[in-house]
Amino acid sequence: MRVAVVGAGLTGLAAASRLADGHDVVVLERNPTIGGRLGTTTIGDATFDAGAQFFTVRGDDLHRQTDRWLADGVVREWCRGFGDGDGDGYPRYVGTRGMSDLAHDLASGLDVRTDHMVFTLDRLERGWSVVLDDASRIEVDAVVLTTPAPQAWNLLAQSDVEFPDEIARRPFRRIVAALVTLDAPSAVPGPGGVQLDPADPDAVIGFVADNQQKGISAVPAVTLHAAWAWSEAHWDEPDDAVATALLDAASEWIDGDRVLDVAIRPWRFAAPAEPWPDRCWVDEEHRVVVAGDLFAGPKVEGAFDSGLAAAAAVRAFDPD
Ligand SMILES: Cc1cc2nc3c(=O)[nH]c(=O)nc-3n(C[C@H](O)[C@H](O)[C@H](O)COP(=O)(O)OP(=O)(O)OC[C@H]3O[C@@H](n4cnc5c(N)ncnc54)[C@H](O)[C@@H]3O)c2cc1C
């Protein structure tokens, strides 16, 4: 089958890398870069993980993949927790040059087209016509959608596929990130992360990461993730007001006199607040699958598992 995968985040790339063995797969990504919420970003000489900071491994599938990544130098262990002592003993893995390394590894050898925003999906008698924002079309037998569920609902809205409202309407949390470049090392304690409680309604900061200590930035570079309620409350404020408030709250780790630059990166669909119990949603008759971390948990592992589940669902479609 010819299969279109919409979205080159971890879910889409995990699905595509499995499907490429035996199927003709094209991955369509609206952004100029791949990785989605893995989001490694460079500003001058500074490198930031702007989205996911690390990943943990619980299930067998990501375990096998992580063993391969470790052997190939794609990922390495960052630490076993934050704060005093040895943390909880669970390894926290990071991409060797940033979290987007995971995406680049999975994408290798695939037909991934960046700057290709999918605008809508038209049903054909058999299969789909994927309409891009430049009005060009790609005809395929099956589609895997890995955009956040409300966007998947929107893409399917013109078709006769009934993607359930109760999935499409699941709420997503917002997270505001500040990417701070410094001219001197930060005061973030080793191993370079401070994990606070992002669900605390009174908290300003949820996570602090020193990308230089983490080993991905050549120069001092700190990522601040605002707490959930704070992000929601300050979402519409101008960047400079948000930057000032976050730097103020982070004064324990960042000396304001050493700040060279602050870039604000808002994540509108940062994390599903109420994950859906299945690993993906499948419409066998119309050969469409919706997948993502909404389905298997709001983490790297959830996205990976949902991508594999989507690939298995497509393999089970009747190609005739
Ligand atoms: C601030 C933040 C911190 C996080 N921290 C952690 C962490 O420490 N550990 C952890 O395990 N997880 C963390 N996560 C969660 C983790 O990043 C996600 O679970 C995972 O990356 C989701 O992958 P995905 O492929 O499902 O979605 P995404 O990465 O969002 O991928 C979807 C892709 O679809 C593309 N797209 C959307 N619409 C279209 C369209 N119309 N046409 C074409 N392409 C389209 C998007 O551009 C995007 O690239 C964090 C997330 C955020 C935002």
Side-chain angles (χ1 to χ4, degrees):
M1 281 184 289
R2 179 141 170 83
V3 184
V5 174
V6 182
L10 196 65
T11 304
L13 292 169
S17 64
R18 293 297 160 106
L19 285 168
D21 181 13
H23 297 280
D24 178 8
V25 184
V26 57
V27 183
L28 303 164
E29 168 56 52
R30 74 173 174 189
N31 284 337
T33 54
I34 65 170
R37 277 173 277 160
L38 296 177
T40 308
T41 304
T42 54
I43 299 174
D45 293 332
T47 303
F48 299 87
D49 275 331
Q53 295 300 318
F54 59 83
F55 68 100
T56 48
V57 181
R58 281 157 210 270
D60 291 343
D61 288 319
L62 188 58
H63 207 289
R64 274 191 289 277
Q65 179 66 57
T66 302
D67 282 346
R68 279 198 290 276
W69 277 334
L70 285 166
D72 294 344
V74 177
V75 305
R76 60 184 162 72
E77 188 179 315
W78 178 14
C79 60
R80 298 205 166 198
F82 305 98
D84 294 335
D86 285 339
D88 56 18
Y90 257 112
R92 268 74 166 171
Y93 298 102
V94 291
T96 305
R97 291 163 306 163
M99 289 295 285
S100 292
D101 280 2
L102 280 57
H104 287 287
D105 182 68
L106 290 173
S108 135
L110 298 178
D111 179 1
V112 181
R113 304 183 193 175
T114 51
D115 287 318
H116 278 59
M117 178 170 174
V118 175
F119 189 62
T120 191
L121 298 169
D122 284 348
R123 286 265 298 125
L124 303 173
E125 199 176 326
R126 299 212 54 76
W128 292 91
S129 177
V130 179
V131 185
L132 299 164
D133 58 350
D134 64 358
S136 62
R137 289 171 177 264
I138 300 174
E139 293 196 3
V140 294
D141 301 301
V143 175
V144 177
L145 291 172
T146 74
T147 67
Q151 296 173 352
W153 182 88
N154 199 37
L155 290 174
L156 291 167
Q158 310 295 325
S159 73
D160 50 351
V161 170
E162 287 179 16
F163 181 52
D165 273 1
E166 57 200 318
I167 304 181
R169 290 209 186 128
R170 295 249 141 175
F172 273 74
R173 294 197 173 96
R174 302 173 188 208
I175 295 179
V176 174
L179 311 179
V180 187
T181 311
L182 305 162
D183 68 3
S186 79
V188 176
V194 178
Q195 197 153 27
L196 302 161
D197 178 8
D200 177 349
D202 299 321
V204 179
I205 307 276
F207 196 84
V208 184
D210 182 318
N211 296 284
Q212 191 180 33
Q213 285 193 61
K214 193 174 166 184
I216 67 163
S217 183
V219 300
V222 173
T223 303
L224 301 173
H225 281 162
W228 299 337
W230 195 94
S231 296
E232 193 72 44
H234 297 262
W235 189 255
D236 292 323
E237 285 181 13
D239 283 3
D240 52 354
V242 169
T244 303
L246 290 178
L247 282 179
D248 196 35
S251 59
E252 184 182 344
W253 309 289
I254 294 175
D255 176 349
D257 292 340
R258 315 313 310 228
V259 172
L260 296 175
D261 180 65
V262 186
I264 299 300
R265 170 69 168 95
W267 294 100
R268 168 66 187 87
F269 293 97
E274 296 164 23
W276 187 254
D278 303 324
R279 290 201 161 190
C280 58
W281 180 82
V282 184
D283 179 335
E284 224 169 301
E285 185 195 343
H286 299 105
R287 294 206 207 110
V288 59
V289 180
V290 181
D293 66 344
L294 170 65
F295 295 91
K299 289 186 170 180
V300 163
E301 182 154 26
F304 185 77
D305 286 350
S306 184
L308 297 196
V314 170
R315 284 187 184 285
F317 287 161
D318 179 359
D320 304 316

